[in-house]
Amino acid sequence: MHLPEVGRSMLKNGLVLGLFAVVTVGGVTLLQRGTAERIQAAERQSQIRALGEILPAGSYDNDLLASTIQLNEPLLGHRGPQPAYLAGKNGQVTAVILRATAPDGYSGAIHLLIGILADGRLAGVRAIGHRETPGLGDRIELAKDPWIRGFEGKSLESPVESGWAVKKDGGTFDQFAGATITPRAVVKATHQALQYFQANKARLLNTQIAGQQRKEP
């Protein structure tokens, strides 16, 4: 005789639990969406800062984050499409900032931004991701050491090919005391980026800056 009451109670509890689940899932979805938007905004600002360290404001008149082409180039250490940022004035490309990966860091891959001017000189290099040893290999970060600024103004001709190595290997670039592998990897990756630019200079510099991403084969 009490079964109908039990059934109604179970139904009520089920509805309450169902409503709770819907509210919970909705809340989590909204939180994830809001968090993702904040993360994207933070990443964008971080990219703008890093690009701005390589090419100062006033040296270009376009939106670097909107003026990109997608590259998939083993010489740059790519294992999938990566953006290259085109800087220009009056619609003419004046510099390219390449994403490159040095796979042979001491603690794994080192991710770099490498800015190259139209004349083949380096505008600058920045490490944007790595797991190198704190106090040793992490000196590739500008905030930790000015070492990485030593690439500025360098090109394939200056130094000559034999100079594109750390001094321990007979080159012109300093290594860190107790940490040679990290700077060696960065020097090699930067040299390869210059080689890639030289081989593809005409195509890169003649790309139309349209503010839209364009895929390269």
Side-chain angles (χ1 to χ4, degrees), residues 29-192:
T29 300
L30 289 174
L31 179 61
Q32 288 178 334
R33 184 176 301 170
T35 301
E37 290 174 352
R38 288 195 295 273
I39 290 174
Q40 289 176 352
E43 288 178 345
R44 179 180 174 83
Q45 290 303 313
S46 177
Q47 287 180 318
I48 291 173
R49 283 195 299 271
L51 295 172
E53 288 182 3
I54 295 174
L55 294 175
S59 64
Y60 55 92
D61 58 14
N62 62 305
D63 181 353
L64 293 182
L65 294 186
S67 305
T68 67
I69 56 175
Q70 292 290 324
L71 303 176
N72 190 357
E73 175 52 56
L75 194 60
L76 298 175
H78 294 170
R79 293 188 174 182
Q82 293 289 329
Y85 307 92
L86 305 175
K89 275 202 168 185
N90 302 317
Q92 179 65 44
V93 178
T94 57
V96 178
I97 299 179
L98 303 171
R99 279 181 174 265
T101 298
D104 45 1
Y106 182 78
S107 299
I110 300 171
H111 303 287
L112 304 165
L113 286 177
I114 300 174
I116 306 174
L117 301 174
D119 63 6
R121 290 180 298 118
L122 284 165
V125 179
R126 292 293 183 274
I128 57 173
H130 68 84
R131 294 181 295 175
E132 300 303 277
T133 307
L136 292 172
D138 69 344
R139 290 170 60 191
I140 56 175
E141 297 178 31
L142 181 60
K144 305 287 179 64
D145 194 283
W147 176 83
I148 203 139
R149 302 207 67 160
F151 290 104
E152 295 171 14
K154 299 292 194 296
S155 67
L156 287 179
E157 293 77 30
S158 178
V160 296
E161 177 139 359
S162 61
W164 277 97
V166 296
K167 290 179 177 177
K168 185 176 182 179
D169 299 332
T172 61
F173 294 89
D174 291 330
Q175 62 266 347
F176 306 145
T180 300
I181 293 175
T182 303
R184 179 185 286 147
V186 174
V187 170
K188 179 182 176 181
T190 303
H191 188 214
Q192 290 182 170

